[in-house]
Each structure stands twice: as structure tokens, then as C-alpha cells.
Amino acid sequence: MSSPELYRPIELTFEGTAAIPTDRTPLTVRLRHAASRTEHVVPGFWDGGTTYRVRLAPELEGDWTWASESDDPSLAGRDGAFTVERGADHGPVRVAHRFHFAHADGTPFRPVGATAYNWLHQDEPLFTQTVDAIAEAGFNKLRFMVFPQGGGYVEHVPTLMPFEKTDGRWDVTRPVPEFFQRLDRAVELLGERGIQADVLIYNAYDRGQFGLDELTEEEDAAYLRYLVARLAAHPHVWWSLCNEFDQLERPDDRWDRTGALLGEIDPYDHLRSIHNWIELYDNNQPWVTHASIQNGSVTTDFGRANLYRDVWGKPVVLDEIKYEGDIPERWGHLDAEQLVHQFWIATVAGCYASHGESFVTESGSLHMVEGGPLRGDSPARLGFLREILEGLDVVGLDPIDKWDDPAHVAGIPRRQYVQYLGRSAPTSWSFRLPIGVPGERVEEGDVFEVDVIDTWNMTVTPVGRRFTVTEVQRNDAYDRVSEPVALPEGAAVALRITRIGG
């Protein structure tokens, strides 16, 4: 048997004498690393009958020991050891360099996400087709809900529900193992395809259809503990408390307490967010790792989205900037060119974005509800954007001169820059860079190469000559000698500007 791999889940199975209600943790495992003395206390969960499981996710190579603790003697007092070796997994994604993301091993992660809220509840072949389509398009994050979605454009009503009922009310102490085993498999399937699972925990879209939006705060907490115990060992999990949280009639302090609880009980410190409808959540709350934002206009023009970064000092993921589709609702009929344009605006704002597709499907639903094959023209272009981001020499893009740069150039000063010229490029571009504060100042004699990126036709064309800075002013640097770069006038164009020998 091969040794466990770094960051990959290790599952321990226990047989108890009776079913323990899941409003309390049935057992924990104390996990210790021999060399560093690092210790984690990992909760277990009931998985049907008298079967209990604990999923461990060691983040250090070497020798580990474990021991179980429980009020049930049949679950307590077991122990063991294993040795962890490095494998291919890069580990959980966390915040890096303040506004960006990286895996636990330091590998940068640039999210280019997708959305299929009700995907978990679809039958085959739609269920698998969704993952195939998302992976083939190049998306590396998928947002989906645990609880089923109700309301408009939802044509499929699942029969498998998360809890049993007691006296006509959902009983969170009696989860349905088959439901959560399906959720396990969904998360595993995404991981196998290199896609982060952005799990939407609570449901603002029940709309009275199922009654899963009527849980008390105590019931929310019991469900949350069970969910975290099942999923937290997977390295590619992100937590989102709710999509459009402000559609639920709950006071902000309840969300505050629930988010704080999530941060407390997750032994692996996964990313945590909450997504808004109209009212922005206070993303300064310490439990929030990054801001997940819905805003229909913040990416329609330059210089807006980056203001969120300044307010919260955290990464910003614009998880809803309207969708490519053909429905009459104002959020659902962007053309592909406009959605790709808005992604690029988000990019040079130092933010990230998520895709959604709202073409009406054969069932009468939408892709961003049920999933399935993608129909739009934007996914391929957004996969190309991800390739550009993955090819950068810098961890992430930050606005260089936020105070007053008319070109809205992003990057890392004196290293690498990206300038997006919009949906309609001019005939030419003359070499000019902003001087940012803070960061290294460009100096006379610095040499750069420039690539012209056609964001729609998905091409990268090196200019083929180098540029040398001949003049540095207070706020700008120029090459006054070189000829301007000819551009495909009217095309959607970005420039990648990289310092040579720096």
C-alpha cells in the first residue's frame, strides 16, 4: 500500500454501538506531527447505521500519529500512525500577497470561476456533463449550492433531501447519508478535474418550496458542523455562507456568529466568504478571508472594482457581474463580448470574476441553475484569460497608480504590467508606464518587451522589438525614441509589458 500523500484526505472508519444525534460531535481525532509537534483536533461524523468517519488532511510531510476521543467507549481510545509523502497536490488555496491567492505550497492560484447553483441535484448525464463542460472550458472554480434551489427557471425538483423530517419539520440531527455521500462524490469529482469547489452552505433561494430556509440558528450550527466534518479534508474546498444572503430575513449579527463559528471549527482554514444581493456584507469581519461580490455595473467601466480592495484590504472575487444569455431579466442577457470585456476590466482592477450562462435550456431552466453543456462564446475566451494569468511572471496584478492613471495599468512596478485597451483599440500605442506608489520606480535605461493580446481572437503577438525607457517623470515613464506599436484598430486588445533582465 502506498503512503498517504501530502494534502490528500485520509479516511478513518469507526463502528459505534448506536447512532449518535448529529447535533453534537460524535468523536474527534487528535492528530500530531512527530517532528514539528503540530497538532489538529479533527471532528468526525456519522455516515449511516453505526458507521462513523474522520477525514484527516496532513499539511506536513513525515510521521504522524492519531488518537480518537469520544464519549462513546466504542469510538474512543483507538490510535495509529502513518507517514506522509509529497505527491502532486499543491494543497488548499489561501490568501496570498494580501489581494491574491496561492496554494499551501506557494503555487499561485488565479480563479476564473463558473456557476451552476443547482448542479448537485441533477440526474445523469447532466451531472457529469456539467463538470466536463466546466473543465474543458478552462474554468478552475465552480459555485454550487448544497440545498436545492427553488423559484424561477428551476425545472428539476430532487427527491433526495439532506435531512429526515420529525413532526413535519426538517431534523438536522438526522442527516440523510445518501444525500451527503452524493455531495462527497460531487466535491471529489471537481477535484479530479482540477476545479475548486466553492460550496454555498445556506440557501436564500428556497422561497418556501422546501422549507430549508427556516432553520434556527442552532440548527444552522448543527448542520454546519456536520458539513465541515465531511468536506474540510478536501484541499480544494472553499466555503461561502450563502448566495445573496440578504434575501434571507436574518439579522447581520446572526451571519457574523455563523461565520465566526465556521472559522473556528474548520481545522484546515479554508477560504471563507458570503455573497450579497443588494446589501453588502461587512467584509471587514475577521472570519471573512475574501470578498465575494455581486454588482452588475462595477465592471462596466475602469476604476470601480478596485475600490472594494481599498475598503476591505482583501482579495475581491466578483462572483456575479451578470451573465451571458438570452433571457429578458437585466442580469441575464449580456452578449459574450461584453462579458469578456468585463472580466478584463476586473482583471486590471486587481480582482477576479466568475462566469455564468443564462441561455434557456431544453428543460426551460438555465445553465447557471442546472449546468450541462455550455452554449455561449465567452467560455473559450475566459479560458484564454486564465492562460494569460497563469503565464504571468508575477503572483497577481495590482493597480499601479490608483490615484489617477488614465490607462488603468496593473501589475508589479518595474517587473510586469498588463494594460487593457478595451473593446475597441486605437490604431497604435506609444510606450508609457505609470509610476506607482509604493513599489520600485522605473529607471531610465530599463528595457521591456511587449506582447499584443487579442482578447477575443485569443492570440498573443510579440511586438518583436524591445523598448528602453528614456524619460522618467513623477508619474509616468516613456520610451520617446521607439516607434509606436501598431494595433488592430477596433479589436479588443490588451498589452503585456515585461521588463527584461530585471
Side-chain angles (χ1 to χ4, degrees):
M1 180 179 177
S2 60
S3 297
E5 290 188 356
L6 189 65
Y7 308 123
R8 299 302 306 159
I10 300 168
E11 183 171 283
L12 307 176
T13 302
F14 302 79
E15 286 298 324
T17 56
I20 300 172
T22 55
D23 57 351
R24 63 180 186 266
T25 301
L27 80 159
T28 59
V29 161
R30 192 171 296 272
L31 181 66
R32 291 190 179 94
H33 186 251
S36 70
R37 310 307 296 174
T38 296
E39 181 175 288
H40 297 293
V41 177
V42 183
F45 60 93
W46 175 73
D47 203 26
T50 56
T51 299
Y52 296 84
R53 305 188 194 279
V54 180
R55 291 172 178 161
L56 313 175
E59 293 195 26
L60 292 172
E61 296 174 77
D63 297 328
W64 291 83
T65 60
W66 62 269
S68 68
E69 302 171 2
S70 176
D71 293 336
D72 184 339
S74 65
L75 302 175
R78 289 183 53 182
D79 57 28
F82 52 82
T83 300
V84 173
E85 297 180 352
R86 182 170 293 276
D89 203 295
H90 296 295
V93 175
R94 299 192 175 108
V95 173
H97 304 273
R98 192 181 185 190
F99 295 112
H100 304 290
F101 301 99
H103 292 273
D105 69 354
T107 302
F109 179 80
R110 288 91 171 197
V112 180
T115 305
Y117 292 125
N118 225 25
W119 162 67
L120 175 65
H121 308 284
Q122 306 304 314
D123 297 328
E124 292 291 2
L126 199 60
F127 182 81
T128 300
Q129 286 174 344
T130 301
V131 181
D132 290 343
I134 295 300
E136 290 165 9
F139 294 114
N140 59 4
K141 182 172 79 78
L142 177 65
R143 307 174 67 238
F144 67 96
M145 299 191 304
V146 177
F147 291 167
Q149 182 179 4
Y153 296 108
V154 180
E155 302 300 326
H156 175 72
V157 178
T159 56
L160 188 62
M161 301 299 285
F163 311 110
E164 296 182 21
K165 281 190 172 181
T166 299
D167 299 327
R169 181 178 175 81
W170 296 114
D171 186 347
V172 298
T173 72
R174 299 166 62 197
V176 176
E178 294 80 9
F179 178 94
F180 286 96
Q181 288 160 6
R182 178 177 175 83
L183 174 61
D184 290 343
R185 179 57 191 149
V187 171
E188 291 166 0
L189 184 60
L190 292 175
E192 290 166 5
R193 303 299 295 274
I195 302 168
Q196 301 288 306
D198 199 348
V199 180
L200 301 168
I201 298 172
Y202 302 105
N203 184 358
Y205 303 137
D206 189 289
R207 298 184 171 93
Q209 184 169 348
F210 306 106
L212 288 164
D213 57 348
E214 299 173 358
L215 302 182
T216 66
E217 186 171 352
E218 292 72 22
E219 290 168 333
D220 273 356
Y223 155 58
L224 184 66
R225 291 181 184 277
Y226 186 75
L227 184 72
V228 168
R230 289 200 77 111
L231 296 186
H234 294 288
H236 59 288
V237 163
W238 299 30
W239 303 120
S240 177
L241 275 198
C242 192
N243 204 70
E244 297 188 345
F245 80 95
D246 47 323
Q247 288 207 31
L248 286 176
E249 293 184 3
R250 296 179 178 180
D252 286 349
D253 59 355
R254 176 171 168 178
W255 291 112
D256 298 345
R257 289 189 296 270
T258 303
L261 175 62
L262 174 59
E264 174 188 334
I265 64 177
D266 179 2
Y268 307 114
D269 194 30
H270 290 288
L271 293 168
R272 302 177 298 270
S273 68
I274 186 169
H275 173 271
N276 67 287
W277 176 44
I278 301 299
E279 299 294 330
L280 291 172
Y281 184 74
D282 177 12
N283 288 299
N284 284 312
Q285 289 285 330
W287 71 266
V288 176
T289 58
H290 67 283
S292 172
I293 300 299
Q294 174 179 183
N295 188 308
S297 65
V298 74
T299 56
T300 57
D301 203 357
F302 294 95
R304 297 178 182 175
N306 54 282
L307 297 177
Y308 286 133
R309 297 185 2 143
D310 295 339
V311 170
W312 294 314
K314 298 176 180 180
V316 172
V317 184
L318 298 156
D319 275 316
E320 188 173 336
I321 54 174
K322 300 184 180 180
Y323 302 120
E324 180 186 2
D326 59 3
I327 60 175
E329 282 79 4
R330 62 179 182 172
W331 46 264
H333 58 253
L334 291 186
D335 60 34
E337 291 89 345
Q338 181 63 24
L339 184 58
V340 173
H341 170 66
Q342 292 184 204
F343 259 78
W344 276 91
I345 288 180
T347 298
V348 295
C351 302
Y352 301 92
S354 288
H355 164 272
E357 192 169 282
S358 55
F359 296 103
V360 178
T361 65
E362 291 182 4
S363 72
S365 186
L366 309 174
H367 183 278
M368 41 84 64
V369 172
E370 69 178 16
L374 291 160
R375 294 166 52 189
D377 292 323
S378 64
R381 279 82 187 176
L382 300 179
F384 173 72
L385 168 59
R386 180 185 162 199
E387 291 177 8
I388 296 297
L389 294 176
E390 298 285 1
L392 293 175
D393 295 336
V394 295
V395 172
L397 297 174
D398 298 310
I400 300 295
D401 178 4
K402 296 181 295 182
W403 194 80
D404 188 18
D405 175 16
H408 301 281
V409 178
I412 301 298
R414 211 181 176 216
R415 288 181 57 190
Q416 190 170 45
Y417 305 80
V418 173
Q419 179 177 345
Y420 177 52
L421 299 173
R423 291 183 63 171
S424 182
T427 57
S428 65
W429 173 81
S430 296
F431 186 94
R432 173 260 179 197
L433 292 175
I435 304 296
V437 178
E440 276 195 275
R441 286 181 63 86
V442 174
E443 297 180 2
E444 291 185 12
D446 284 348
V447 179
F448 292 85
E449 290 182 339
V450 178
D451 299 306
V452 178
I453 301 168
D454 187 319
T455 66
W456 184 255
N457 293 310
M458 298 178 287
T459 60
V460 178
T461 306
V463 171
R465 52 191 169 94
R466 294 183 174 183
F467 297 81
T468 302
V469 174
T470 60
E471 179 182 340
V472 179
Q473 300 179 359
R474 179 176 180 179
N475 298 312
D476 309 89
Y478 300 91
D479 179 348
R480 299 291 196 187
V481 175
S482 297
E483 291 293 321
V485 176
L487 299 175
E489 183 179 5
V493 168
L495 303 171
R496 181 173 57 201
I497 308 161
T498 307
R499 185 180 167 212
I500 305 302

